[in-house]
Amino acid sequence: MQERTFFVNGYQLAAKEWNQDAPIKVIACHGWLDNAASFDVLAPLLGHCHIIALDMPGHGLSDHKSPQASYNIWDDLLDLLAVADEMAWQSFNLLGHSRGAIISLILSASMPERINALVMLDAVLPMPIDISETPKQLNRFLVEQRRALHKRLPRYSSVDEAVEARCKAASMNEDSARPIVERGLYTKGDSYHWTSDVRLTTASAFKLSAEHNKAIIESITMPSLLLLAEGGMGERKEFLNFAENHSTLNCQMLPGSHHFHMEEQAGDIAKIVERFFRK
């Protein structure tokens, strides 16, 4: 593994890179408030995959966006394409977890000529809202964005205290949480602070409707694999129904929590993912 940086779209993105000489080109996208360390367990097991795991903007070691910018899910698509261009990857594969899976699916639907295959880990699309709720959603965005100007994320007296807080907030075990937390902290005086942009904790300006989701999923033409965790999104009936109703998704259920790709199931997930990408 080596650290990488990309200067794209006016800011710097940090990344972790594995298996530089491997033939299968993969960009990996982490979940909300995670970072590239989310793939520390899985990536080394994907020996045939050259993996660029990004710290998405506002996460980990990457820059925050400018004050007038936003963190809506479609805002990340240009960054993924720019990183692929920097790597000279005209076509590539996507591996996404949670929010990163949603971003990967949307990019695959909108730029199918660039994506060879898609793997989603415990997420597919965001839960839709009725179009009539749009003004309320935009109100939440405006109120919370303005509040974020004065909001501060928690600070901690030690890394262990931050790990404990993350485990509690995200229902993670300590082994899974620690690498993400350690990459997502900086020290200031005697305390530890999150590197993530406080605006990531605010509401989205808009959310997709059921019609949007249907159009996106029905536009998928490349091979796609959805792995759901029994103790994660696999517990939610709406995700199972969505997967079962769309034949373009090859869906499998596996044991584990929402971060199952960092747990004891990582070896099994790696075998499934690598077999899928190689095929």
Side-chain angles (χ1 to χ4, degrees), residues 1-239:
M1 192 280 296
Q2 68 177 13
E3 294 284 346
R4 289 286 302 265
T5 56
F6 300 91
F7 189 80
V8 299
N9 300 323
Y11 43 75
Q12 182 170 281
L13 297 182
K16 304 182 84 168
E17 182 177 22
W18 284 269
N19 312 322
Q20 291 88 342
D21 297 324
I24 301 172
K25 310 306 179 185
V26 180
I27 294 180
C29 306
H30 61 77
W32 179 61
L33 295 181
D34 286 351
N35 52 54
S38 173
F39 295 98
D40 278 3
V41 178
L42 185 61
L45 303 177
L46 300 173
H48 288 84
C49 298
H50 179 182
I51 297 175
I52 298 290
L54 293 170
D55 287 337
M56 303 304 290
H59 295 79
L61 305 180
S62 288
D63 286 346
H64 295 186
K65 291 190 176 183
S66 59
Q68 73 273 22
S70 64
Y71 287 96
N72 292 299
I73 52 178
W74 43 82
D75 294 327
D76 292 318
L77 305 187
L78 286 171
D79 295 331
L80 298 183
L81 292 171
V83 168
D85 291 345
E86 288 288 314
M87 294 297 298
W89 293 354
Q90 180 57 34
S91 61
F92 55 98
N93 303 278
L94 286 168
L95 171 63
H97 170 246
S98 194
R99 181 180 185 273
I102 295 169
I103 293 168
S104 297
L105 179 64
I106 294 174
L107 180 59
S108 298
S110 55
M111 295 287 285
E113 67 274 15
R114 297 293 301 270
I115 312 302
N116 294 325
L118 164 68
V119 174
M120 295 162 284
L121 302 175
D122 211 37
V124 54
L125 278 168
M127 295 309 301
I129 68 167
D130 191 271
I131 293 175
S132 64
E133 295 295 312
T134 298
K136 290 182 180 179
Q137 184 66 35
L138 186 54
N139 172 267
R140 283 187 60 204
F141 167 78
L142 294 172
V143 170
E144 293 181 14
Q145 283 282 309
R146 286 161 58 83
R147 189 179 297 152
L149 295 173
H150 311 287
K151 182 179 179 181
R152 297 292 180 268
L153 294 174
R155 59 184 182 181
Y156 306 96
S157 60
S158 67
V159 174
D160 287 344
E161 185 182 359
V163 170
E164 182 180 356
R166 181 59 199 259
C167 289
K168 184 177 181 180
S171 300
M172 299 177 70
N173 64 50
E174 182 178 342
D175 290 340
S176 299
R178 185 168 292 278
I180 291 175
V181 170
E182 289 178 347
R183 189 174 179 87
L185 290 176
Y186 70 95
T187 56
K188 184 177 181 180
D190 296 329
S191 59
Y192 292 82
H193 303 251
W194 297 116
T195 63
S196 54
D197 193 330
V198 67
R199 290 176 293 168
L200 290 166
T201 65
T202 64
S204 301
F206 292 92
K207 287 196 173 184
L208 302 177
S209 67
E211 290 81 4
H212 285 124
N213 281 352
K214 183 175 184 290
I216 289 169
I217 202 69
E218 290 181 352
S219 296
I220 296 298
T221 56
M222 71 289 298
S224 61
L225 174 64
L226 170 61
L227 300 180
L228 289 175
E230 291 178 352
M233 294 303 176
E235 289 184 333
R236 300 177 64 170
K237 186 177 296 184
E238 57 268 31
F239 272 86

